[in-house]
Amino acid sequence: MEAIITTLSAYGWDLLEKTGEHMFISLAAILLGVSVAIPAGILLTRIPKVADRIISFVGVLQTVPSLAILAFLMPFLGVGVLPAIIALFIYSVLPILRNTYTGVMEVDSSLKEAGRGMGMSNWETVRKIELPLALPVIMSGIRFATVYLIGWATLAAFIGGGGLGDLIFDGLNLYQPS
Amino acid sequence: MLEFKEVTKTFEGSKKPAVHKLNLSINKGEFVVFIGPSGCGKTTTMKMINRLVEPSDGQILVEGTNVLDQDSVQLRRSIGYVIQQIGLMPHMTVGENISLVGSLLKWSKEKQRERAKELISLVDLPEEYLNRYPHELSGGQQQRIGVLRALAADPPLILMDEPFGALDPITRDGLQEEFKKLQKEVDKTIVFVTHDMDEAIKLADKIVIMNAGEIVQVGSPDEILKHPANEFVEDFIGKDRLLQSRPDVTRVEQIMNANPITVKEERTLKEAIQVMRDNRVDSLLVVDEIGTLKGYIDIEMIDAQYKKRSYVYEAMDTEEYSVHKSDLLRDTMYRMLRRGSAYVPVIEENDRLVGIVTRAALANMVYDTIWGDETAEVAAAD
């Protein structure tokens, strides 16, 4: 107990700062993921024939260990916050993309037909019918991605991205069984 | 208003055209029903009008302009569209649903609201419903809203794809009637697709019967029932309906007995009884010198009054009850059955008596309708 209090009083500000970094990395990656994956998901619904293949391909990317992605990106992007965000972004794409695709595909086709029949343009169909009705499914994809990203963001420490990973890995490296 | 010229549609990957060289013209204000077995091309034909399906060949002219020369989005906004699945947006209120096309046309919020109020007053729904969501309404109410939504931008032409197909029979009946009335009020040209012949007969001004991508027959419900073009149409209409339709077009004149037993009004009751006895009937129609129907007299009336009165005109019942010779038989039948009377006098202009329809005549006619063909066959076989 006492140890915890000492640690907090010594590293309290560090902890807050690292949490802030951690949040920033995760959020930035998620926002990037949302802004890419949702439009991409909607585009995929327009080409359902190849959509499944594309989604499987992105699924394969997902199986690459996160640490490997970080290492792989280093030669191209160097170290720091940006490569960390990009690596995490890659991981956020799949769940959001897949849920957007499924969500939009699941919107009752009679509603889409009614919309088209009443003279909605493609964009209006997306904005007024598909997105609002697919929103619950898309949101669950975003939530899922967010939870994972917060966990994986610790690995950003390995390429100098900062975040809570700094503290965790320092602690592990300095592990002193008392 | 709407014209099909050699319109053909062949779907990708199929050799046989879904619609083949279709020619048809539809006048303004007409209620046209496309009917046929599934896969006959009726829905495809309808969807080509607003380009949900693009024709492969030929021209479709809406008010003289080829639909392919118009922007498909603009075109669809100018044509109402109602589908079987209703297709109300579940995330929008009833009011928003009604004014959906208005919002696409960038109407002001007030205008949308006004129009929705105006429309909902056309059907039997309270204004509060505008703020509800579609799932709170029954199926019949939802489809009423579906129809209003198609009317919102006041399009001259409305396409309806089996709009009442998913409703239960009672709701459907009610809605059909309501809609037919509504159509007359708003004066729209309507293209309606169904596979239900009763619905077609009930609603249509013009029925277009299709099979295998081609038109088999076009005509008013009456024409089609009376003169089915071929066996396919007969089968499609169904034997029952053909039989039922017969009395519909028979006129009283065709089945009446042209020699009713009559008595002149200035005859005595004694003479009247004599006439009854000679003709073996229990009642007589009373006429004047020139044959104008005056009333009737029966044996009970004579029996009750022969001591007090001596002439027919004193004892007869003058109740006005007769049918005109050109009346439709089905109305007469209904009146006879409702009144429980055994006969109806038939008159022409100036109340001149020309005949009588008795229950026996009706029975004969029903007999002919049911067994007439068989009797004819038996006779031929003999």
Side-chain angles (χ1 to χ4, degrees):
Chain A
M1 188 68 210
E2 205 172 304
I4 293 173
I5 293 169
T6 345
T7 313
L8 279 181
S9 55
Y11 297 107
W13 283 114
D14 265 3
L15 200 62
L16 274 181
E17 198 190 323
K18 293 296 174 192
T19 307
E21 284 175 18
H22 200 97
M23 297 284 282
F24 171 74
I25 296 170
S26 320
L27 268 180
I30 272 292
L31 286 181
L32 211 57
V34 165
S35 57
V36 170
I38 291 182
I42 292 170
L43 278 182
L44 284 185
T45 61
R46 298 299 188 266
I47 41 166
K49 278 177 195 156
V50 290
D52 280 342
R53 262 172 275 167
I54 292 177
I55 287 177
S56 334
F57 173 73
V58 181
V60 171
L61 273 190
Q62 189 93 0
T63 61
V64 178
S66 32
L67 212 51
I69 287 256
L70 288 172
F72 181 74
L73 285 179
M74 253 204 305
F76 303 103
L77 298 166
V79 293
V81 177
L82 187 66
I85 289 175
I86 287 173
L88 290 174
F89 148 72
I90 290 173
Y91 280 96
S92 75
V93 169
L94 179 75
I96 303 175
L97 182 75
R98 196 174 41 202
N99 278 36
T100 305
Y101 178 72
T102 322
V104 172
M105 286 304 269
E106 273 174 5
V107 171
D108 191 346
S109 61
S110 65
L111 294 179
K112 294 186 213 172
E113 202 207 304
R116 245 158 58 82
M118 280 185 297
M120 284 190 175
S121 61
N122 228 323
W123 166 239
E124 281 162 338
T125 316
V126 169
R127 198 168 53 89
K128 287 188 183 254
I129 302 178
E130 291 176 326
L131 272 187
L133 290 172
L135 200 62
V137 185
I138 297 175
M139 280 314 289
S140 82
I142 295 176
R143 201 162 48 229
F144 181 85
T146 311
V147 170
Y148 272 74
L149 250 54
I150 288 173
W152 286 330
T154 47
L155 298 178
F158 283 120
I159 53 167
L164 288 169
D166 276 353
L167 292 177
I168 294 169
F169 294 116
D170 282 356
L172 284 174
N173 290 336
L174 298 173
Y175 184 54
Q176 296 166 336
S178 56
Chain B
M1 170 75 205
L2 183 61
E3 213 174 342
F4 291 81
K5 284 184 182 166
E6 298 285 303
V7 176
T8 299
K9 171 68 192 181
T10 312
F11 284 105
E12 249 176 81
S14 108
K15 278 187 198 146
K16 239 178 126 256
V19 175
H20 185 63
K21 294 206 167 161
L22 186 130
N23 285 294
L24 180 69
S25 83
I26 293 170
N27 300 323
K28 195 171 180 334
E30 243 179 341
F31 197 127
V32 181
V33 174
F34 282 79
I35 189 166
S38 44
C40 70
K42 54 188 191 298
T43 305
T44 308
T45 306
M46 190 199 76
K47 285 186 178 173
M48 281 192 281
I49 300 171
N50 66 356
R51 289 182 61 188
L52 284 173
V53 174
E54 302 268 338
S56 326
D57 201 12
Q59 288 186 313
I60 298 176
L61 307 174
V62 177
E63 315 229 48
T65 322
N66 189 342
V67 292
L68 291 177
D69 297 340
Q70 298 179 46
D71 175 52
S72 62
V73 168
Q74 295 305 325
L75 175 77
R76 290 180 198 140
R77 286 177 189 174
S78 67
I79 298 176
Y81 190 49
V82 184
I83 60 175
Q84 178 178 6
Q85 301 86 351
I86 304 175
L88 293 183
M89 304 303 157
H91 58 295
M92 297 182 186
T93 63
V94 168
E96 286 166 345
N97 265 295
I98 293 179
S99 46
L100 197 57
V101 179
S103 78
L104 298 177
L105 293 169
K106 307 269 183 292
W107 288 1
S108 69
K109 283 268 176 270
E110 296 87 75
K111 188 174 175 193
Q112 290 183 28
R113 194 79 199 158
E114 277 310 301
R115 184 64 182 150
K117 276 187 193 167
E118 203 177 300
L119 284 166
I120 205 159
S121 67
L122 286 177
V123 295
D124 226 0
L125 293 174
E127 226 172 74
E128 300 92 81
Y129 274 44
L130 291 176
N131 296 321
R132 298 207 184 167
Y133 283 89
H135 68 89
E136 298 173 68
L137 273 56
S138 72
Q141 291 171 334
Q142 287 187 20
Q143 193 55 296
R144 283 196 184 89
I145 302 301
V147 171
L148 294 184
R149 181 173 66 178
L151 291 171
D154 211 13
L157 174 63
I158 296 175
L159 310 180
M160 304 182 92
D161 187 1
E162 301 198 25
F164 308 133
L167 303 171
D168 65 274
I170 296 172
T171 313
R172 182 164 60 218
D173 254 25
L175 227 60
Q176 284 166 350
E177 248 151 60
E178 195 177 313
F179 181 64
K180 181 78 188 168
K181 245 195 296 171
L182 191 65
Q183 188 247 347
K184 294 221 171 90
E185 276 170 41
V186 295
D187 189 31
K188 302 290 181 194
T189 308
I190 289 172
V191 175
F192 190 106
V193 168
T194 183
H195 58 254
D196 177 354
M197 198 66 197
D198 287 318
E199 187 166 73
I201 293 172
K202 193 165 169 184
L203 295 173
D205 295 326
K206 189 193 258 179
I207 295 180
V208 180
I209 299 182
M210 289 185 72
N211 188 30
E214 299 189 7
I215 291 180
V216 185
Q217 188 174 9
V218 180
S220 70
D222 219 35
E223 279 163 22
I224 284 179
L225 286 172
K226 269 201 273 184
H227 310 292
N230 56 24
E231 212 169 309
F232 170 79
V233 177
E234 271 177 44
D235 283 350
F236 194 74
I237 296 170
K239 275 253 174 338
D240 290 351
R241 253 187 230 99
L242 282 174
L243 292 178
Q244 275 170 23
S245 73
R246 270 190 219 171
D248 280 4
V249 292
T250 313
R251 299 195 179 278
V252 168
E253 200 175 12
Q254 288 165 266
I255 70 145
M256 74 182 184
N257 175 354
N259 298 305
I261 316 297
T262 57
V263 64
K264 295 217 165 59
E265 58 181 342
E266 70 276 6
R267 294 301 165 95
T268 61
L269 293 179
K270 214 183 238 172
E271 282 169 319
I273 296 177
Q274 188 65 42
V275 175
M276 285 184 189
R277 214 173 88 91
D278 292 348
N279 291 286
R280 306 204 164 277
V281 293
D282 65 354
S283 54
L284 298 169
L285 294 175
V286 181
V287 293
D288 67 6
E289 285 300 325
I290 55 164
T292 311
L293 179 68
K294 288 296 181 184
Y296 77 97
I297 188 161
D298 65 21
I299 190 72
E300 280 156 26
M301 286 149 68
I302 296 179
D303 187 38
Q305 304 190 42
Y306 80 97
K307 280 180 187 152
K308 290 172 270 172
R309 317 231 196 267
S310 46
Y311 291 100
V312 170
Y313 66 86
E314 292 171 332
M316 71 180 183
D317 194 326
T318 58
E319 192 188 350
E320 297 261 350
Y321 172 56
S322 58
V323 292
H324 195 268
K325 65 174 183 182
S326 61
D327 281 354
L328 286 178
L329 186 60
R330 66 168 168 219
D331 302 335
T332 316
M333 204 148 164
Y334 176 64
R335 261 186 268 172
M336 275 182 80
L337 294 176
R338 195 181 47 176
R339 290 180 56 111
S341 54
Y343 64 88
V344 186
V346 182
I347 56 168
E348 57 178 17
E349 275 65 41
N350 303 324
D351 289 348
R352 192 84 63 88
L353 181 73
V354 292
I356 186 167
V357 176
T358 58
R359 286 190 177 200
L362 290 181
N364 279 342
M365 198 210 59
V366 173
Y367 182 91
D368 286 347
T369 311
I370 301 173
W371 287 289
D373 294 349
E374 278 175 38
T375 321
E377 278 162 27
V378 171
D382 291 347

